[in-house]
Amino acid sequence: MKSHTLSVLVENRAGVLSRVAGMFSRRGFNIESLAVGTCEEPNMSRITIVVNGDDVQIEQVMKQANKLIEVIKVSDITERESVDRELALIKVAAEPGTSRAEIMQIADIFRAQIVDVGTKTLLLQVVGNTSKIDALETLLRQYGIKELVRTGKIAMLRGSKTVKSAK
Amino acid sequence: MKTGAKILIEALQREGVDTIFGYPGGSVLPIYDELYDSSIRHILVRHEQAAAHAADGYARASGRVGVCLATSGPGACNLVTGIATAYMDSVPVVALTGQVPTGMLGNDAFQESDITGITMPVTKHNYLVKNGADLAGVIREAFYVAGTGRPGPVLVDLPKDVTTNQVTAERPLPPEICLRGYQPTYQGHVRQIDKALSLIAEAARPVIYAGGGVVLSNASAELVAFAERAAIPVTTTLMGLGCVPCDHPLNLGMLGMHGTPAANYAITECDLLLAVGVRFDDRVTGKIEAFAPNATIVHIDIDPAEIGKNKPVDVPIVGDVRMVLQAMLERMQKHGETNGWRTRVADWKKRYPIGFPDDDNLRPQYIIRQLSDILKGEGIVVSEVGQNQMWTALHYCFTKPRTWLTSGGLGTMGYGFPAAIGAHYARPDMPVVDIAGDGSFQMNIQELGTVAQYDIPVKVVVLNNMYLGMVRQWQELFYDRRYSYTELPPVDFVKIAQAYGIDGIRVEEKEAVREALETALTTDGPFVLDFRIEREENVFPMAPAGAAINEMIGVHRK
């Protein structure tokens, strides 16, 4: 069992996300993360799905996804050279004077940006792969995380290779 | 300018639709108003579930797309069981549903249900049409998706304003349909085919395991030709019955939980399994590790997702079964040497026939054999689900594809009677018999009204044991005879039939069986036969759930 990153190219239409996500849950595949947005062609969307499973399960889920009429292409990019990123917004408790400086230092090290400052909080924005964000989250936990939101992973192959519709 | 309803009816006519099974309601009034003057025949059922099953029966018997129509909300929801049945058995059906007007969608309006959401898991695809201009194109696409590749049900949801409003700018239909996300593979890969052929030629104990896919792709002739040329015994699934004539010397009968000993032993001992249009269903394989444990597996299927789903496959061939078998016949060079194996298999067939006690009791197996003897393959036999279904599968001699309609995957009680109605409209030239249990028949018994209204000559053979027979059998064998809620009070089905104006006979004696069946078949119009059979008769042989298929109980020996 390991995490697989699937890049799924779909028709950009109402209900498609629900079809894809519904198929995963219906067949018992646990989605770890899912991110969706429009892509280079206006009538298509790209969904990046991180799903846990062994090779047989992943093969099966890809085949089942491919059967959906509005799914154009499914690629497993886990083993391929790719760039993956997630964005997180983290609201940390930061009373003036006390830990503020420390948090700002940590943000600096992680190349996170402080995008909002409240009287008792700092709001950090961080972009990176999943483990980087996990690490930052762990560090900030000691100060008290008030709220946290992550986008889910998006990924793209390196170099000139693309995940495009072959059909 | 035309209304959406007019465009819909024209689109259906363009697809060659001659019959629709349906039930009217508020949201589909515009469609019904157009139907009133159209050349399309509409059969008014008594429950929407029956409309879906009838469309399914029509599709299975004819090979064409079946069509059903229901109103929004409860009407649409009542189709779901029928749609799910068609989905599990890959039957091409287009289900049309009414919907509340687009402006009221999502407001919990009167008789609103999110039917596209509800049916997403049980349809091949579905549509919610929001604009009349899209209607003609959607209908074309729906029929195309339903009937091509691995067939399946497609639902089209039609808000009332879409069918009522005038469509100002109709979009021209594209000359051909091209969906970039849907490109079924029909031709098998040549290298894989050659690999399969050489493995088959080398095999000493090959077996063909053929299923519903053979029927769906109209590949029976090719399958028989291939089996004969390669001299390989064939076993068929429940869904594949009829694709090889039952009396063909290479035919081992059905395999699986209630399969024949010859078929199940052959599967267990084979060294090569040629799986054709099958999906390794758990009712077929039993304990999956013990299914064809020593075999190299070649699997032909149009749906890549079926290959390797339940059992690893050595040579996958994705393609239309008929086209792949044709290519295999063309490319075949060597025959395997299988004389010894065929002798062994023939010996099993002789030693372990499918039998039943030959006494004076009224036994269901006897009734089915008599029916088989009368019809001689020239009829369509539909079953309900349960013991009646398995007795029919084991004791009726199917000689042609599309003459056996049954709910295999979903196991839907109540399927048979309405499906028989659909089968009649698909093949009005053939007698249609529904073999039912008293439990199943009562699940859609209201369709007696439909067959009476249109004088549909469907004959119902009720194997009446006053039990939910298959469940009772399991309770007897595995639950210490604790018959928890499986006994049904006696029902006089003849009187019920008569209440609808239909003839019927009750039969309690073995001697009266033949004459009763002949009377039913020679009487015009519908007929109900109420056979009071041995109450605690079982379906044997049987491999208990979770056991290997060669570990059968109740094997009959000669």
Side-chain angles (χ1 to χ4, degrees):
Chain A
M1 291 274 278
K2 66 170 197 184
S3 272
H4 286 251
T5 305
L6 308 182
S7 180
V8 184
L9 205 56
V10 299
E11 300 284 353
N12 183 7
R13 268 188 226 139
V16 177
L17 179 61
S18 146
R19 258 180 229 285
V20 174
M23 187 281 294
F24 275 74
S25 63
R26 183 161 74 244
R27 292 188 180 268
F29 298 104
N30 194 14
I31 295 178
E32 279 180 20
S33 133
L34 185 149
V36 58
T38 51
C39 64
E40 67 278 4
E41 277 192 50
N43 52 4
M44 284 198 238
S45 290
R46 202 180 288 277
I47 307 177
T48 308
I49 302 178
V50 182
V51 59
N52 228 316
D54 60 30
D55 290 350
V56 176
Q57 288 170 321
I58 297 302
E59 189 189 332
Q60 177 63 201
V61 76
M62 288 175 68
K63 284 173 167 176
Q64 293 294 350
N66 237 324
K67 269 169 76 167
L68 300 172
I69 308 288
E70 285 155 331
V71 168
I72 300 160
K73 187 167 174 82
V74 186
S75 307
D76 184 353
I77 59 172
T78 317
E79 301 291 325
R80 299 170 69 184
E81 284 286 310
S82 62
V83 177
D84 56 80
R85 290 289 181 271
E86 226 183 299
L87 183 144
L89 294 175
I90 310 171
K91 191 176 284 175
V92 192
E95 297 283 342
T98 56
S99 47
R100 260 183 201 247
E102 269 176 55
I103 293 168
M104 287 163 86
Q105 248 178 0
I106 291 170
D108 216 30
I109 294 163
F110 278 81
R111 295 185 202 197
Q113 288 162 294
I114 300 198
V115 290
D116 183 55
V117 181
T119 50
K120 292 176 180 174
T121 56
L122 287 173
L123 175 52
L124 274 65
Q125 169 192 305
V126 61
V127 174
N129 60 26
T130 308
S131 66
K132 174 180 163 177
I133 296 173
D134 287 346
L136 178 60
E137 190 189 319
T138 312
L139 273 175
L140 293 177
R141 222 162 252 298
Q142 57 184 312
Y143 304 101
I145 294 178
K146 296 276 184 199
E147 199 177 1
L148 185 147
V149 55
R150 292 167 74 150
T151 56
K153 184 156 105 175
I154 56 169
M156 189 178 272
L157 294 176
R158 286 187 183 277
S160 52
K161 291 199 180 76
T162 54
V163 174
K164 269 227 161 94
S165 154
K167 292 173 183 172
Chain B
M1 291 230 294
K2 296 171 197 157
T3 63
K6 176 95 180 155
I7 291 172
L8 171 72
I9 299 297
E10 286 176 358
L12 293 172
Q13 285 169 324
R14 214 176 293 125
E15 300 303 324
V17 175
D18 54 23
T19 311
I20 292 178
F21 305 92
Y23 203 99
S27 298
V28 284
L29 279 170
I31 302 172
Y32 271 87
D33 194 56
E34 276 303 329
L35 267 176
Y36 197 61
D37 302 318
S38 90
S39 64
I40 296 175
R41 170 173 50 201
H42 175 275
I43 304 301
L44 174 68
V45 292
R46 296 299 178 268
H47 185 299
E48 288 90 350
Q49 188 194 121
H53 290 323
D56 169 308
Y58 177 96
R60 292 190 207 218
S62 67
R64 299 168 57 206
V65 178
V67 183
C68 57
L69 168 61
T71 193
S72 63
C77 288
N78 280 345
L79 291 177
V80 172
T81 303
I83 293 171
T85 304
Y87 183 70
M88 287 290 273
D89 291 340
S90 309
V91 180
V93 166
V94 168
L96 306 167
T97 49
Q99 184 54 276
V100 301
T102 47
M104 290 164 83
L105 275 173
N107 285 355
D108 304 323
F110 177 66
Q111 291 195 330
E112 180 184 359
S113 67
D114 171 17
I115 197 63
T116 47
I118 289 170
T119 58
M120 225 173 247
V122 293
T123 48
K124 185 172 171 186
H125 193 52
N126 61 22
Y127 301 86
L128 168 60
V129 184
K130 285 191 174 161
N131 187 339
D134 299 333
L135 245 173
V138 166
I139 293 296
R140 163 141 299 184
E141 208 174 287
F143 276 79
Y144 173 74
V145 170
T148 55
R150 177 181 182 169
V154 174
L155 182 136
V156 182
D157 201 21
L158 302 157
K160 190 169 184 181
D161 55 326
V162 170
T163 49
T164 309
N165 290 351
Q166 302 283 333
V167 177
T168 43
E170 257 191 275
R171 263 174 230 148
L173 280 173
E176 60 185 86
I177 298 169
C178 183
L179 301 168
R180 55 186 168 178
Y182 176 69
Q183 307 276 336
T185 308
Y186 292 100
Q187 300 286 356
H189 197 283
V190 173
R191 261 208 316 272
Q192 295 291 84
I193 287 175
D194 285 343
K195 200 165 149 194
L197 285 171
S198 69
L199 286 168
I200 291 165
E202 286 161 20
R205 300 184 308 278
V207 169
I208 295 174
Y209 152 38
V214 177
V215 178
L216 290 166
S217 71
N218 300 313
S220 291
E222 286 79 2
L223 180 79
V224 172
F226 185 81
E228 285 173 352
R229 267 191 61 196
I232 304 179
V234 188
T235 171
T236 67
T237 66
L238 179 72
M239 299 304 298
L241 288 175
C243 71
V244 180
C246 74
D247 47 4
H248 192 287
L250 288 170
N251 192 352
L252 303 176
M254 184 171 78
L255 80 166
M257 179 176 273
H258 290 294
T260 69
N264 286 353
Y265 295 156
I267 289 284
T268 308
E269 287 196 14
C270 72
D271 65 351
L272 182 126
L273 185 69
L274 177 58
V276 189
V278 293
R279 56 188 184 87
F280 293 81
D281 179 76
D282 53 274
R283 281 290 187 272
V284 162
T285 63
K287 189 174 164 194
I288 191 88
E289 309 85 61
F291 184 76
N294 308 311
T296 302
I297 300 178
V298 178
H299 189 182
I300 308 170
D301 205 289
I302 197 157
D303 181 357
E306 286 305 339
I307 293 178
K309 187 177 86 174
N310 296 333
K311 181 107 184 156
V313 165
D314 299 285
V315 184
I317 304 176
V318 175
D320 172 67
V321 164
R322 192 164 66 92
M323 290 185 188
V324 173
L325 287 173
Q326 277 170 349
M328 286 176 92
L329 279 163
E330 279 165 25
R331 303 180 69 82
M332 193 173 178
Q333 287 167 341
K334 282 194 295 185
H335 298 212
E337 175 48 61
T338 62
N339 284 340
W341 172 237
R342 276 183 294 138
T343 312
R344 184 160 166 70
V345 165
D347 183 53
W348 282 327
K349 263 176 83 170
K350 217 182 298 159
R351 271 164 53 206
Y352 310 114
I354 296 298
F356 63 97
D358 185 20
D359 52 20
D360 290 337
N361 295 333
L362 180 52
R363 295 189 189 267
Q365 302 95 326
Y366 175 80
I367 298 165
I368 290 162
R369 288 190 181 202
Q370 288 298 312
L371 176 70
S372 186
D373 193 52
I374 296 169
L375 287 176
K376 295 196 166 48
E378 297 303 317
I380 293 178
V381 170
V382 189
S383 84
E384 302 289 345
V385 164
Q387 289 185 317
N388 63 81
Q389 181 181 33
M390 290 299 129
W391 282 321
T392 310
L394 289 169
H395 295 276
Y396 187 93
C397 180
F398 292 99
T399 57
K400 291 178 204 145
R402 299 196 185 281
T403 58
W404 161 238
L405 319 181
T406 197
S407 169
L410 198 66
T412 311
M413 287 177 72
Y415 166 81
F417 188 33
I421 294 173
H424 164 72
Y425 286 102
R427 294 296 306 271
D429 55 318
M430 293 271 254
V432 181
V433 180
D434 172 36
I435 297 181
D438 49 322
S440 278
F441 187 38
Q442 290 184 79
M443 276 219 183
N444 271 316
I445 198 165
Q446 76 287 344
E447 297 310 314
L448 284 168
T450 308
V451 296
Q453 181 177 0
Y454 299 100
D455 199 25
I456 302 167
V458 166
K459 319 299 177 188
V460 184
V461 169
V462 188
L463 304 174
N464 187 352
N465 56 11
M466 292 171 245
Y467 276 122
L468 301 176
M470 189 60 99
V471 186
R472 188 212 56 78
Q473 175 170 340
W474 282 54
Q475 288 172 334
E476 176 191 328
L477 298 172
F478 312 118
Y479 291 87
D480 203 20
R481 292 178 186 262
R482 286 156 53 84
Y483 295 162
S484 180
Y485 305 103
T486 43
E487 192 167 8
L488 299 172
V491 175
D492 189 334
F493 289 110
V494 175
K495 272 193 183 155
I496 292 184
Q498 284 166 349
Y500 281 97
I502 295 169
D503 274 342
I505 308 175
R506 184 196 289 183
V507 183
E508 283 162 314
E509 304 288 320
K510 189 179 176 184
E511 301 78 63
V513 169
R514 183 84 181 197
E515 198 192 326
L517 287 168
E518 277 166 350
T519 305
L521 287 163
T522 50
T523 304
D524 292 334
F527 207 94
V528 174
L529 290 167
D530 182 5
F531 289 100
R532 298 297 171 99
I533 60 165
E534 268 294 291
R535 288 201 71 198
E536 303 209 350
E537 187 70 60
N538 286 332
V539 180
F540 284 129
M542 176 186 194
I549 54 170
N550 61 336
E551 297 169 354
M552 287 164 283
I553 53 174
V555 173
H556 190 81
R557 285 183 177 78
K558 214 169 199 172

